[in-house]
Amino acid sequence: MKTCHNKASLKLATGTLLPIILLIFFVTFQTLCYAQMNGNISGKIVDPGGAPIEYISVGLLYEDGKILKGVLSDSTGKFSFSAIPDGKYLVKISGVSYHPLTTEILVISIENRKLDLGLLKLKEDSKLLNAVVISAQKKLIEQTIDKTIINVENSILSEGNTALELLEKAPGVKVGEDGQISLKGRSGVLVMINGKSTYLSPKELSTLLKGTNSSSISKIEIMNNPSAKYDAAGNGGIINIQMKKNMKTGLNGSVSLNGGASRNARYGSALDLNYRNNKVNIYGSYDYGYRGETEYLDFVRRFYDSGNSGSIPNRTSYQDTETDEPLHTNNFRVGLDYDLDSSNTIGFLINGNVGKYTHDSKTGNRLIAADGTMISHMATTNYDQQSWKNLTYNVNYLHKFKKEGRTFSADADFASNSFTSNLNLKTTTLQSTDGQAGATTSRRGYVPAITDVYLAKVDYTDPLSKTIKLESGLKSSVIQSDNNLRYDILNNGNWEYDNNGSNHFKYKEQIHAGYININKDFKGFSVQAGLRGEYTKTQGHQITTDSLLTRSYFQLFPSIFINKPIGANHQIQAAYSRRIERPDYGDLNPFRVFRDPLLFYQGNPFLKPELINTFQLSHSFKGKYTTAINYNQTTDVITWLSGQIDSLNTTFESPQNLSRLINYGISFTASTTFFNWWNGTHFANVFRNEYKGNVQNNTFNNNTTSFSFNSQNSFKAGKGYTMELSGFYYSGSVYGISTYKGSYAISTGVQKTILQDKGNIKLMVNDIFQSDRYREQTKYQNIDMYTNKRPDSRRIMLSISYRFGNQNQDNKDRRTGSEDIQNRVKGGG
């Protein structure tokens, strides 16, 4: 029995903190200088029932009625005007279905630079309500100071796609060949669904996202630098996928169908129903999707008896693989919210994702000697039937105090996740020379992975004054995973248990956390400071070898954000946060998973968590153009590295801790309106990654400067027609000891509203030139390999959707307070 106990403590790099301390000091100094030059007017807009009205126009006018500036209220009905010079003003609010509201004259002066107008209640215009129903559509991409929001349900190009394919189009996001997700060149992104961590291994998360249809997604939120309120996991930031939830009153719903083809057929359907009255909201949705896909892989490996890849290879392996990957998915959601009274709400929710996936590949592998003669020729079939079932049960409670904005919420969740893999691997050695006899080896595997997640969480929010807001909370999660891998080998017509390949691994993890956030508005600037503490205890039990690995550690994760408006059009933010990326169960489990007899993957039970300190300075101009400079340093960075056994012509991959990764760069986001009929959002990012570490007892540095660009454009063509054009480009990049080539893709689509604007038809073509591919080069010591993967990315899809029932919007909202359960369920397949 082996036991390892490790306690980690807070480590901050002094050398990297000094520049940011000076930067924050500079920004704060500038803030104090400008403080007396800025006025502020804010308020909250509500309907006759007191519910907030979101995204309604608010104008700031001079005393004579001329417009100074305008904004939209946010999702809570709040609005704010900053950097207002001394003078007399009016605030005018106008929106469809409401009578316009204009305030009395407001005075900004040295004695009164901050005006809070409180609740501004609008009256409904019954004539407009009865005459016509007009729906406002949000922009495809919205850029705020702390996040990028992609309104998926507004996009033509989202039709017929999966959640993983949608992420490929998101600004700054890159999806690797095996589903690894990076953000601005940083890996270790925490993916959340409805604000809940999935606790899945990267491969299981990739499968889940492939099984989540775009028709059920409302929006995607991208947070590069989250606050202490969120889980500290996710060194690359957080991506939150928000599913649709109908908030309209009465009985209503929608139905949609889609179909098309890539190299194979794709089709799907979705149904959404909702009933809401003054007390009860009952909602449910279901969608089904089938995605046929065929991809091609070329893999070249060179082997050196000298152990040095700089010499002439003694043998070269040429491998080509064709894989069919049909995927069937079923997603459903059933919920009930009940208002006990005006202050208390209780809710119940069940989320489900059930599906099956088949990996059916045929591989040819030719091993050629240096003189050109064939050493061996193998043909391998890999047939892997996978199925999964993810069920999450939630009960939630919300209490609203009499004091405006003070709330308490509590959640309890149980998530049951099961993945099963039935693998059949058959390799036939073909006759490569005269007189050589062929041979066949067969291996089968059964890989059940069961993960249960228990979570409890409470949150408290209190606006202590007009300028100070307190947020705090506690959260505990317990994860239990069981993976019992069994391999059998066919010997003389009989299946025999493989002692060397089989493995039984159990993993337990507890994380107990608490956080506090303080938001303070000063004259002319605002500060948010937070601190999160997390205690982690893990236990990995290798039952097969009877070894036990335990770890426990407590970490503090501070964060600070300083926002400073300068003049009427400029805003600066400085931010710092500390985060952690824990190794998941798939990384820790040392069992082997074979792609073919000469290639396998193996976990590492001795991995340590990686820690990151991230700094960002951003500038926003007119709310449309944002420039951000970021610097991030990660220690003990977890990276999958390749190894090679030349004598056996075998390659393997295993996760290792490298010394550090330094990532820094500059990004630019622009929201443009070239004409009234042309809106666009464009993102450009230049970054540098520098990996440093020790591999096979040798230090190495692998670094490069990379560039990415993403553009989303929407065109109004009249008569109900809308068109979209999007594209992205990624230059070469590095990961660990590997280098990746660049890629790009261009997609387009058109939409037509029908049936009195209650329905629409969409046609889209994704990756028109089929240029999105993954090309990887690894050359280090005796490792010399090249991979070229051509996914099934070009596809054409046609969809039709229809909304029925009452379509009047009710702004009353209730989401579960535990919106951060389920990214690391530690699976192993």
Side-chain angles (χ1 to χ4, degrees):
M1 181 79 69
K2 299 178 182 179
T3 303
C4 176
H5 187 75
N6 175 42
K7 292 189 176 180
S9 60
L10 176 64
K11 296 180 181 178
L12 295 175
T14 305
T16 58
L17 277 177
L18 183 57
I20 199 63
I21 291 173
L22 294 175
L23 175 63
I24 293 175
F25 174 80
F26 173 76
V27 174
T28 305
F29 177 77
Q30 293 294 319
T31 292
L32 296 175
C33 293
Y34 282 101
Q36 295 182 352
M37 300 173 59
N38 294 307
N40 180 276
I41 298 176
S42 61
K44 182 175 181 179
I45 307 168
V46 298
D47 64 13
I53 303 176
E54 59 182 11
Y55 310 117
I56 193 169
S57 297
V58 187
L60 181 63
L61 287 64
Y62 291 107
E63 183 182 11
D64 59 5
K66 293 182 180 180
I67 297 177
L68 173 61
K69 62 176 73 175
V71 297
L72 294 177
S73 63
D74 63 17
S75 59
T76 64
K78 294 181 179 179
F79 69 90
S80 177
F81 294 104
S82 304
I84 307 173
D86 291 356
K88 296 181 179 181
Y89 302 94
L90 301 169
V91 170
K92 183 177 181 179
I93 305 167
S94 57
V96 176
S97 305
Y98 295 98
H99 287 289
L101 173 66
T102 304
T103 65
E104 298 178 350
I105 293 178
L106 308 171
V107 180
I108 296 292
S109 64
I110 191 171
E111 294 85 9
N112 194 15
R113 297 194 183 278
K114 189 176 183 67
L115 298 178
D116 186 348
L117 305 182
L119 295 180
L120 300 172
K121 185 174 294 186
L122 300 188
K123 296 180 180 180
E124 293 180 344
D125 189 331
S126 58
K127 294 181 180 179
L128 285 176
L129 284 173
N130 294 330
V132 64
V133 176
I134 300 176
S135 59
Q137 181 168 310
K138 301 177 187 177
K139 291 183 178 180
L140 175 60
I141 296 181
E142 297 177 279
Q143 182 70 44
T144 67
I145 195 65
D146 62 344
K147 70 178 68 171
T148 300
I149 303 171
I150 305 172
N151 293 303
V152 173
E153 56 189 325
N154 295 336
S155 174
I156 304 168
L157 299 178
S158 68
E159 288 301 318
N161 283 323
T162 68
L164 193 65
E165 291 164 343
L166 288 179
L167 290 180
E168 293 176 338
K169 297 182 175 68
V173 178
K174 182 174 177 59
V175 180
E177 64 170 309
D178 293 322
Q180 307 102 326
I181 299 171
S182 61
L183 182 58
K184 289 188 176 182
R186 295 154 50 194
S187 58
V189 176
L190 174 65
V191 177
M192 310 172 88
I193 298 178
N194 286 333
K196 300 171 180 286
S197 301
T198 62
Y199 295 100
L200 295 171
S201 69
K203 182 172 183 180
E204 290 176 346
L205 175 62
S206 175
T207 302
L208 179 64
L209 294 178
K210 288 178 181 178
T212 302
N213 297 320
S214 60
S215 60
S216 60
I217 298 175
S218 172
K219 60 185 177 181
I220 297 174
E221 300 173 327
I222 301 173
M223 292 170 274
N224 294 286
N225 210 343
S227 71
K229 181 177 180 178
Y230 296 93
D231 287 351
N235 281 353
I238 292 178
I239 295 176
N240 180 35
I241 300 174
Q242 192 71 40
M243 310 304 287
K244 292 179 180 178
K245 184 176 180 181
N246 194 331
M247 299 304 298
K248 299 179 177 66
T249 58
L251 179 63
N252 50 76
S254 64
V255 61
S256 64
L257 298 169
N258 66 74
S262 51
R263 293 177 181 137
N264 295 287
R266 290 188 175 205
Y267 50 84
S269 60
L271 173 66
D272 177 89
L273 290 172
N274 185 85
Y275 173 77
R276 172 184 287 273
N277 60 25
N278 293 331
K279 281 282 189 180
V280 177
N281 181 40
I282 303 174
Y283 55 93
S285 64
Y286 169 78
D287 65 72
Y288 167 79
Y290 171 79
R291 190 199 69 176
E293 181 175 358
T294 298
E295 68 177 24
Y296 302 101
L297 171 70
D298 299 320
F299 190 23
V300 179
R301 290 172 285 179
R302 298 177 176 88
F303 301 95
Y304 302 85
D305 291 339
S306 64
N308 184 1
S309 61
S311 59
I312 298 176
N314 299 93
R315 297 168 304 283
T316 302
S317 167
Y318 298 93
Q319 177 178 316
D320 56 90
T321 302
E322 177 182 333
T323 306
D324 287 323
E325 299 178 285
L327 175 73
H328 298 264
T329 64
N330 299 270
N331 299 276
F332 61 88
R333 177 182 174 95
V334 179
L336 167 68
D337 293 331
Y338 181 71
D339 294 335
L340 302 173
D341 52 40
S342 60
S343 300
N344 297 280
T345 300
I346 188 170
F348 305 91
L349 174 64
I350 300 176
N351 274 323
N353 184 292
V354 180
K356 59 181 180 179
Y357 164 77
T358 301
H359 177 99
D360 185 5
S361 65
K362 298 177 178 61
T363 300
N365 193 328
R366 294 175 294 115
L367 188 64
I368 308 298
D371 60 4
T373 60
M374 184 177 293
I375 300 173
S376 67
H377 185 192
M378 294 186 295
T380 300
T381 59
N382 186 338
Y383 188 80
D384 186 6
Q385 286 185 312
Q386 300 180 13
S387 61
W388 71 91
K389 181 171 65 175
N390 303 96
L391 297 174
T392 301
Y393 306 88
N394 168 269
V395 56
N396 54 81
Y397 168 75
L398 173 67
H399 176 73
K400 297 179 181 178
F401 294 87
K402 291 183 179 180
K403 180 181 179 181
E404 176 69 23
R406 180 187 290 176
T407 62
F408 171 82
S409 64
D411 283 76
D413 291 80
F414 169 69
S416 174
N417 306 273
S418 63
F419 281 77
T420 302
S421 170
N422 285 280
L423 170 69
N424 284 275
L425 191 66
K426 180 179 180 181
T427 299
T428 301
T429 302
L430 305 176
Q431 183 176 345
S432 55
T433 60
D434 293 337
Q436 183 185 41
T440 300
T441 59
S442 295
R443 172 189 293 270
R444 70 181 183 186
Y446 176 65
V447 189
I450 300 173
T451 305
D452 292 331
V453 180
Y454 305 86
L455 182 143
K457 176 184 176 184
V458 294
D459 291 282
Y460 175 73
T461 301
D462 191 354
L464 302 178
S465 68
K466 291 183 178 181
T467 61
I468 301 177
K469 180 182 177 182
L470 168 69
E471 295 178 306
S472 61
L474 298 171
K475 177 180 176 180
S476 290
S477 62
V478 178
I479 304 168
Q480 298 178 345
S481 295
D482 189 344
N483 188 298
N484 191 359
L485 168 65
R486 176 189 175 98
Y487 274 127
D488 295 322
I489 298 176
L490 189 63
N491 187 11
N492 296 325
N494 297 314
W495 288 105
E496 296 180 355
Y497 181 74
D498 180 9
N499 290 296
N500 295 324
S502 301
N503 182 76
H504 192 186
F505 184 73
K506 288 187 174 183
Y507 180 80
K508 295 181 180 179
E509 177 183 273
Q510 299 180 41
I511 300 177
H512 306 287
Y515 76 90
I516 183 170
N517 260 342
I518 299 289
N519 294 269
K520 169 65 176 174
D521 289 333
F522 296 90
K523 290 186 177 180
F525 73 103
S526 62
V527 176
Q528 175 180 290
L531 182 64
R532 186 179 185 91
E534 293 190 353
Y535 170 77
T536 305
K537 182 177 181 179
T538 65
Q539 176 182 289
H541 188 192
Q542 191 72 19
I543 297 176
T544 305
T545 58
D546 194 25
S547 62
L548 187 69
L549 180 66
T550 63
R551 284 196 176 104
S552 63
Y553 47 89
F554 176 78
Q555 296 280 349
L556 291 175
F557 302 98
S559 65
I560 184 170
F561 303 83
I562 300 176
N563 290 295
K564 166 63 183 172
I566 300 178
N569 297 321
H570 300 271
Q571 184 167 263
I572 290 178
Q573 182 190 70
Y576 163 77
S577 66
R578 184 175 189 262
R579 304 187 65 79
I580 188 173
E581 182 70 9
R582 301 175 182 89
D584 67 46
Y585 144 36
D587 293 340
L588 296 170
N589 195 345
F591 72 84
R592 295 181 177 182
V593 174
F594 290 86
R595 175 181 286 181
D596 62 52
L598 301 181
L599 176 63
F600 65 86
Y601 304 90
Q602 183 171 340
N604 177 5
F606 300 103
L607 286 175
K608 296 180 291 183
E610 60 183 35
L611 295 168
I612 184 172
N613 292 290
T614 177
F615 311 90
Q616 180 169 291
L617 176 65
S618 62
H619 168 261
S620 177
F621 176 64
K622 292 186 176 181
K624 294 182 177 181
Y625 309 99
T626 302
T627 304
I629 301 173
N630 62 277
Y631 177 88
N632 314 284
Q633 179 170 297
T634 306
T635 57
D636 293 322
V637 56
I638 300 173
T639 310
W640 279 83
L641 300 178
S642 299
Q644 201 159 271
I645 307 173
D646 292 270
S647 60
L648 300 177
N649 304 319
T650 299
T651 303
F652 63 90
E653 292 188 6
S654 178
Q656 305 290 332
N657 284 114
L658 301 183
S659 299
R660 65 176 180 170
L661 164 64
I662 295 177
N663 164 273
Y664 54 92
I666 182 170
S667 64
F668 179 70
T669 305
S671 297
T672 58
T673 304
F674 297 110
F675 304 97
N676 290 333
W677 47 269
W678 180 4
N679 294 314
T681 301
H682 320 282
F683 174 85
N685 184 33
V686 179
F687 64 93
R688 184 171 179 83
N689 278 345
E690 299 177 357
Y691 285 90
K692 297 183 179 181
N694 186 290
V695 178
Q696 299 179 4
N697 299 319
N698 287 277
T699 57
F700 85 99
N701 296 315
N702 193 18
N703 54 74
T704 193
T705 300
S706 304
F707 171 76
S708 69
F709 176 76
N710 180 289
S711 179
Q712 303 269 357
N713 300 272
S714 177
F715 310 91
K716 295 179 181 178
K719 296 183 179 181
Y721 284 95
T722 306
M723 300 178 63
E724 284 185 25
L725 179 67
S726 77
F728 69 79
Y729 170 77
Y730 298 108
S731 70
S733 59
V734 295
Y735 174 79
I737 60 175
S738 300
T739 301
Y740 289 85
K741 304 292 184 180
S743 64
Y744 73 95
I746 297 175
S747 305
T748 188
V750 62
Q751 171 181 272
K752 174 69 169 70
T753 57
I754 58 175
L755 303 175
Q756 298 179 339
D757 291 339
K758 290 186 176 181
N760 59 60
I761 298 177
K762 300 179 182 180
L763 177 67
M764 62 82 68
V765 182
N766 188 78
D767 192 9
I768 299 172
F769 304 107
Q770 204 162 20
S771 50
D772 188 13
R773 59 181 58 188
Y774 308 100
R775 293 173 292 171
E776 176 185 359
Q777 177 80 45
T778 304
K779 197 167 185 178
Y780 179 77
Q781 294 186 359
N782 68 321
I783 304 170
D784 186 355
M785 61 180 67
Y786 174 75
T787 303
N788 181 15
K789 184 177 181 181
R790 291 161 287 163
D792 203 347
S793 57
R794 180 167 59 189
R795 53 190 172 274
I796 182 169
M797 298 294 299
L798 177 68
S799 72
I800 182 170
S801 63
Y802 177 73
R803 301 184 305 274
F804 56 87
N806 181 19
Q807 295 298 313
N808 290 332
Q809 181 74 33
D810 183 351
N811 289 291
K812 181 179 180 182
D813 189 14
R814 168 63 183 135
R815 291 161 46 192
T816 67
S818 157
E819 309 238 297
D820 28 342
I821 187 183
Q822 288 221 77
N823 195 349
R824 294 172 44 252
V825 167
K826 328 256 189 232

